[in-house]
Amino acid sequence: VATAVLALTLVEAQDLIRLADVAAAASIEALLGTDVPFDPRVQQLRPHPGQVATADNVRRLLRGSRILPSHRESGHKVQDPYSLRCVPQVHGACRDGLTFARTVCERELNAVTDNPILFPEDGEVLSAGNFHGQHVALAADVAGAAIAELGSISERRIEQMVNPDLSNLPAFLAVDPGLNSGFMMAQTTAAALVSENKTLAHPASVDSIPTSANQEDHVSMGMWAARKCRQILRNVRSVLAIEFLAGAQALDFQERKPGRGVAGARDALRDRIPHLARDRHLAHDIETASEMMRSGALLEAVTKRAGKLESF
């Protein structure tokens, strides 16, 4: 059961991590960030596969941007905050962690975990320990931590957009700040979900409690590891939905067009969710964006403009 729950979570994570790259690219454009950190020459000097794939995705998403040249011309600051500049390193590490979890999960799905195990060709019945879930538990814990980090860095990009001290954007992305709160409480919601994930990401696999008259004296806690990994993914999907909404709102304030992939995401969101001209209840907007992510509609809109993005 733990393997099944982890497998389902990893299937959803394959789209989630690509969408995290899209959300990051949108935030980079909205915040007038630079594309220099995504230069392939930089990645080849530290060639972790996930880092290389992330940088490739972001470059693809930014292709055709009219915003990027505008801040090259304006003497924009040399270095962006880590949440923008280090997207290849952070998202990349998450990709590599999820690749590990996927390798373990696929191997486990094709393994024999019965006890005892029958070997009819040898006429033997062997009682052993293939049922022990430590492999799955460790993989689920790694996957949970990796997914949680996608949410953690996403929330920091949201803060960059809503805080007028950190950007050239209106306070809280409100059209009329002061009378309107804009995305203030949306950022608070993202922060709450990220904080929840910090607790959920504590590894279950380091725990054990004996059962069955101490015969089962070391257990993996794999089921709890898989269950909380799945909850982390749901929380991060909501955090990324908020980043998408904030990014779309911020891009509405930019006069020039973003990259083709970013524009695909913004246009798809705007087909379903209007610009926040004045305060309204944002729960429905967040749920709509989350559903667009879960269903594949948002990623499809992006890939039609930018081409296929790498996952893990």
Side-chain angles (χ1 to χ4, degrees), residues 252-301:
D252 289 344
F253 294 117
Q254 302 293 348
E255 295 180 358
R256 302 196 189 192
K257 292 183 178 180
R260 289 192 289 270
V262 172
R266 195 266 309 274
D267 293 349
L269 288 164
R270 282 289 169 261
D271 285 344
R272 300 276 304 276
I273 304 167
H275 177 81
L276 187 67
R278 62 180 63 184
D279 280 354
R280 63 173 180 261
H281 192 46
L282 287 176
H284 178 70
D285 293 357
I286 296 170
E287 289 168 4
T288 300
S290 296
E291 176 56 26
M292 291 177 69
M293 295 169 65
R294 192 200 63 77
S295 68
L298 188 55
L299 187 60
E300 182 181 1

XYZ file of all heavy atoms in Angstrom, residues 252-301:
391
model
N 0.551 41.560 -15.441
C -0.438 42.515 -15.958
C 0.046 43.958 -15.825
O -0.418 44.842 -16.554
C -1.774 42.359 -15.217
C -2.489 41.061 -15.585
O -2.127 40.441 -16.601
O -3.421 40.672 -14.840
N 0.972 44.194 -14.888
C 1.503 45.547 -14.688
C 2.680 45.853 -15.625
O 3.135 46.994 -15.688
C 1.960 45.743 -13.242
C 0.837 45.701 -12.235
C 0.790 44.712 -11.272
C -0.161 46.659 -12.247
C -0.234 44.671 -10.339
C -1.194 46.624 -11.319
C -1.237 45.630 -10.365
N 3.182 44.829 -16.321
C 4.310 45.024 -17.218
C 3.805 45.412 -18.607
O 2.842 44.832 -19.110
C 5.159 43.750 -17.309
C 5.706 43.250 -15.977
C 6.733 44.197 -15.361
O 7.206 45.127 -16.019
N 7.074 43.965 -14.096
N 4.471 46.339 -19.240
C 4.031 46.807 -20.551
C 4.483 45.869 -21.669
O 3.810 45.762 -22.696
C 4.577 48.211 -20.806
C 4.025 49.263 -19.849
C 4.576 50.651 -20.132
O 5.426 50.768 -21.052
O 4.167 51.596 -19.440
N 5.609 45.199 -21.487
C 6.139 44.351 -22.546
C 5.706 42.900 -22.349
O 5.320 42.491 -21.254
C 7.664 44.447 -22.590
C 8.155 45.869 -22.795
C 9.593 45.895 -23.219
N 10.142 47.242 -23.225
C 11.307 47.562 -23.765
N 12.059 46.641 -24.341
N 11.741 48.809 -23.728
N 5.804 42.113 -23.413
C 5.332 40.730 -23.384
C 6.386 39.802 -22.785
O 7.589 39.960 -23.046
C 4.992 40.262 -24.794
C 3.776 40.963 -25.387
C 3.445 40.384 -26.762
C 2.201 41.051 -27.336
N 1.855 40.502 -28.669
N 5.950 38.808 -21.986
C 6.897 37.835 -21.438
C 7.256 36.778 -22.474
O 6.767 36.802 -23.611
C 6.099 37.221 -20.289
C 4.674 37.303 -20.731
C 4.565 38.582 -21.536
N 8.098 35.836 -22.070
C 8.472 34.729 -22.942
C 7.276 33.895 -23.349
O 6.220 33.920 -22.706
N 7.459 33.107 -24.410
C 6.327 32.358 -24.970
C 5.718 31.386 -23.961
O 4.491 31.275 -23.863
C 6.782 31.604 -26.231
C 7.063 32.519 -27.417
C 7.224 31.723 -28.708
N 8.465 30.964 -28.729
C 9.622 31.449 -29.203
N 9.683 32.681 -29.655
N 10.703 30.701 -29.220
N 6.553 30.675 -23.218
C 6.024 29.727 -22.241
C 5.307 30.414 -21.096
O 4.233 29.979 -20.658
N 5.888 31.500 -20.621
C 5.268 32.272 -19.538
C 3.950 32.867 -20.022
O 2.938 32.839 -19.298
C 6.220 33.377 -19.049
C 5.517 34.304 -18.065
C 7.459 32.758 -18.402
N 3.937 33.377 -21.235
C 2.709 33.940 -21.789
C 1.620 32.875 -21.908
O 0.438 33.156 -21.677
C 2.986 34.570 -23.150
N 2.011 31.655 -22.263
C 1.038 30.572 -22.350
C 0.365 30.311 -21.023
O -0.856 30.101 -20.952
N 1.152 30.324 -19.951
C 0.583 30.113 -18.617
C -0.312 31.276 -18.220
O -1.432 31.083 -17.725
C 1.706 29.935 -17.592
N 0.160 32.501 -18.426
C -0.619 33.687 -18.050
C -1.943 33.736 -18.810
O -3.002 33.991 -18.248
C 0.212 34.937 -18.308
C -0.327 36.219 -17.642
C -1.224 37.030 -18.554
N -0.653 37.294 -19.853
C 0.158 38.324 -20.128
N 0.490 39.185 -19.194
N 0.608 38.484 -21.353
N -1.901 33.461 -20.118
C -3.117 33.529 -20.926
C -4.119 32.455 -20.505
O -5.332 32.706 -20.465
C -2.781 33.388 -22.410
C -1.986 34.580 -22.942
O -1.885 35.600 -22.228
O -1.445 34.467 -24.067
N -3.625 31.246 -20.196
C -4.524 30.163 -19.769
C -5.196 30.516 -18.452
O -6.397 30.272 -18.262
C -3.738 28.861 -19.637
N -4.430 31.093 -17.535
C -5.007 31.508 -16.252
C -6.042 32.610 -16.454
O -7.122 32.596 -15.848
C -3.903 31.982 -15.307
C -2.999 30.889 -14.728
C -1.744 31.497 -14.150
C -3.737 30.082 -13.665
N -5.734 33.562 -17.324
C -6.654 34.675 -17.544
C -7.942 34.241 -18.256
O -8.968 34.911 -18.159
C -5.959 35.784 -18.336
C -5.024 36.621 -17.477
C -5.815 37.513 -16.516
N -4.971 38.140 -15.502
C -4.832 37.686 -14.265
N -5.470 36.594 -13.870
N -4.064 38.319 -13.405
N -7.902 33.108 -18.951
C -9.132 32.579 -19.550
C -10.133 32.151 -18.483
O -11.338 32.131 -18.724
C -8.815 31.375 -20.456
C -8.196 31.787 -21.778
O -8.288 32.988 -22.131
O -7.606 30.919 -22.444
N -9.605 31.790 -17.303
C -10.465 31.285 -16.229
C -10.554 32.209 -15.017
O -11.536 32.173 -14.280
C -9.917 29.922 -15.744
C -9.863 28.822 -16.809
C -11.176 28.116 -16.971
N -11.664 27.565 -15.727
C -11.290 26.371 -15.225
N -10.404 25.625 -15.885
N -11.809 25.930 -14.104
N -9.520 33.015 -14.818
C -9.425 33.834 -13.598
C -9.133 35.275 -13.990
O -8.074 35.562 -14.550
C -8.313 33.302 -12.674
C -8.536 31.828 -12.341
C -8.234 34.130 -11.393
C -7.335 31.141 -11.711
N -10.022 36.210 -13.692
C -9.792 37.601 -14.091
C -8.728 38.289 -13.238
O -8.417 37.849 -12.123
C -11.161 38.254 -13.892
C -11.825 37.430 -12.840
C -11.343 36.023 -13.048
N -8.191 39.354 -13.768
C -7.275 40.228 -13.035
C -7.946 40.712 -11.749
O -9.148 40.973 -11.716
C -6.918 41.426 -13.921
C -6.044 42.445 -13.279
N -4.668 42.302 -13.190
C -6.339 43.638 -12.690
C -4.159 43.368 -12.587
N -5.156 44.194 -12.260
N -7.160 40.820 -10.688
C -7.696 41.263 -9.394
C -7.705 42.792 -9.367
O -6.756 43.426 -8.920
C -6.851 40.701 -8.243
C -7.391 40.943 -6.833
C -8.688 40.169 -6.604
C -6.348 40.543 -5.780
N -8.809 43.379 -9.842
C -8.914 44.828 -9.884
C -9.266 45.407 -8.521
O -8.872 46.527 -8.200
C -9.968 45.236 -10.907
N -10.010 44.643 -7.726
C -10.329 45.038 -6.354
C -10.475 43.768 -5.528
O -10.632 42.675 -6.077
C -11.595 45.884 -6.297
C -12.860 45.184 -6.786
C -14.082 46.091 -6.690
N -13.934 47.252 -7.551
C -14.824 48.236 -7.605
N -15.901 48.206 -6.846
N -14.633 49.259 -8.422
N -10.408 43.896 -4.233
C -10.413 42.720 -3.362
C -11.632 41.833 -3.615
O -12.758 42.324 -3.797
C -10.415 43.152 -1.893
C -9.024 43.551 -1.409
O -8.058 43.380 -2.184
O -8.908 44.029 -0.270
N -11.384 40.535 -3.655
C -12.444 39.535 -3.689
C -11.947 38.298 -2.945
O -10.762 38.178 -2.645
C -12.836 39.177 -5.123
C -11.725 38.524 -5.953
C -12.251 38.054 -7.314
N -11.206 37.424 -8.121
C -10.533 38.035 -9.083
N -10.766 39.309 -9.355
N -9.598 37.383 -9.763
N -12.857 37.403 -2.637
C -12.491 36.168 -1.959
C -11.615 35.342 -2.905
O -12.052 34.978 -4.006
C -13.767 35.415 -1.593
C -13.567 34.278 -0.647
N -12.804 34.380 0.496
C -14.048 33.008 -0.667
C -12.823 33.230 1.136
N -13.561 32.379 0.455
N -10.373 35.039 -2.509
C -9.416 34.409 -3.423
C -9.427 32.883 -3.379
O -8.728 32.244 -4.167
C -8.002 34.918 -3.115
C -7.705 36.365 -3.545
C -6.316 36.780 -3.097
C -7.851 36.528 -5.050
N -10.183 32.297 -2.454
C -10.174 30.838 -2.343
C -10.576 30.179 -3.660
O -9.955 29.196 -4.092
C -11.108 30.389 -1.224
N -11.600 30.719 -4.307
C -12.058 30.119 -5.569
C -10.970 30.234 -6.640
O -10.753 29.288 -7.422
C -13.338 30.803 -6.046
C -13.832 30.278 -7.367
N -14.373 29.014 -7.520
C -13.838 30.840 -8.615
C -14.697 28.819 -8.781
N -14.382 29.914 -9.465
N -10.270 31.361 -6.697
C -9.193 31.537 -7.671
C -8.082 30.517 -7.442
O -7.550 29.928 -8.396
C -8.607 32.944 -7.573
C -9.597 34.019 -8.007
O -10.715 33.675 -8.433
O -9.243 35.206 -7.915
N -7.720 30.323 -6.176
C -6.655 29.365 -5.840
C -7.088 27.956 -6.211
O -6.307 27.171 -6.788
C -6.294 29.457 -4.349
C -5.718 30.841 -4.030
C -5.305 28.361 -3.955
C -5.556 31.122 -2.547
N -8.327 27.616 -5.918
C -8.845 26.280 -6.256
C -8.886 26.077 -7.772
O -8.560 24.989 -8.266
C -10.240 26.094 -5.657
C -10.245 25.958 -4.144
C -11.638 26.067 -3.553
O -12.614 26.180 -4.338
O -11.760 26.031 -2.312
N -9.269 27.115 -8.510
C -9.308 27.006 -9.967
C -7.913 26.796 -10.542
O -7.697 25.931 -11.407
C -9.945 28.269 -10.581
O -11.278 28.423 -10.092
C -9.980 28.184 -12.102
N -6.949 27.579 -10.073
C -5.564 27.420 -10.537
C -5.025 26.045 -10.169
O -4.335 25.400 -10.976
C -4.693 28.520 -9.952
N -5.328 25.578 -8.961
C -4.882 24.248 -8.524
C -5.464 23.160 -9.419
O -4.766 22.208 -9.802
C -5.294 23.991 -7.068
O -4.657 24.882 -6.199
N -6.729 23.287 -9.748
C -7.368 22.295 -10.618
C -6.779 22.332 -12.021
O -6.600 21.285 -12.664
C -8.879 22.542 -10.661
C -9.647 21.637 -11.617
C -9.441 20.151 -11.374
O -9.128 19.753 -10.223
O -9.568 19.363 -12.339
N -6.448 23.506 -12.521
C -5.800 23.605 -13.830
C -4.443 22.917 -13.817
O -4.024 22.324 -14.819
C -5.648 25.066 -14.229
C -6.958 25.769 -14.545
S -6.725 27.525 -14.939
C -5.885 27.398 -16.527
N -3.756 22.985 -12.688
C -2.481 22.292 -12.549
C -2.694 20.784 -12.483
O -2.016 20.011 -13.158
C -1.759 22.787 -11.289
C -1.345 24.237 -11.335
S -0.790 24.841 -9.726
C 0.679 23.832 -9.496
N -3.644 20.366 -11.657
C -3.869 18.937 -11.440
C -4.352 18.239 -12.704
O -3.953 17.113 -13.006
C -4.883 18.742 -10.323
C -4.991 17.293 -9.814
C -6.281 17.045 -9.083
N -7.428 17.215 -9.956
C -7.816 16.325 -10.862
N -7.143 15.186 -11.025
N -8.862 16.554 -11.626
N -5.204 18.914 -13.467
C -5.800 18.297 -14.659
C -4.846 18.240 -15.846
O -5.094 17.515 -16.815
C -7.049 19.076 -15.065
O -6.707 20.374 -15.535
N -3.772 19.020 -15.796
C -2.845 19.088 -16.917
C -3.140 20.220 -17.884
O -2.378 20.450 -18.832
N -4.237 20.958 -17.664
C -4.629 22.024 -18.593
C -3.601 23.145 -18.647
O -3.293 23.670 -19.722
C -5.996 22.580 -18.192
N -3.052 23.507 -17.496
C -2.093 24.609 -17.469
C -0.790 24.211 -18.154
O -0.233 24.981 -18.947
C -1.838 25.035 -16.019
C -1.007 26.302 -15.819
C -1.607 27.489 -16.562
C -0.865 26.620 -14.327
N -0.305 23.009 -17.872
C 0.941 22.554 -18.494
C 0.764 22.405 -20.004
O 1.665 22.730 -20.781
C 1.389 21.239 -17.867
C 2.764 20.722 -18.286
C 3.860 21.721 -17.933
C 3.055 19.377 -17.621
N -0.393 21.944 -20.420
C -0.663 21.797 -21.861
C -0.605 23.150 -22.554
O -0.045 23.278 -23.654
C -2.026 21.149 -22.079
C -2.359 20.917 -23.543
C -3.728 20.297 -23.743
O -4.440 20.068 -22.749
O -4.093 20.044 -24.918
N -1.168 24.165 -21.922
C -1.143 25.504 -22.516
C 0.281 26.021 -22.657
O 0.603 26.722 -23.625
C -1.972 26.462 -21.651
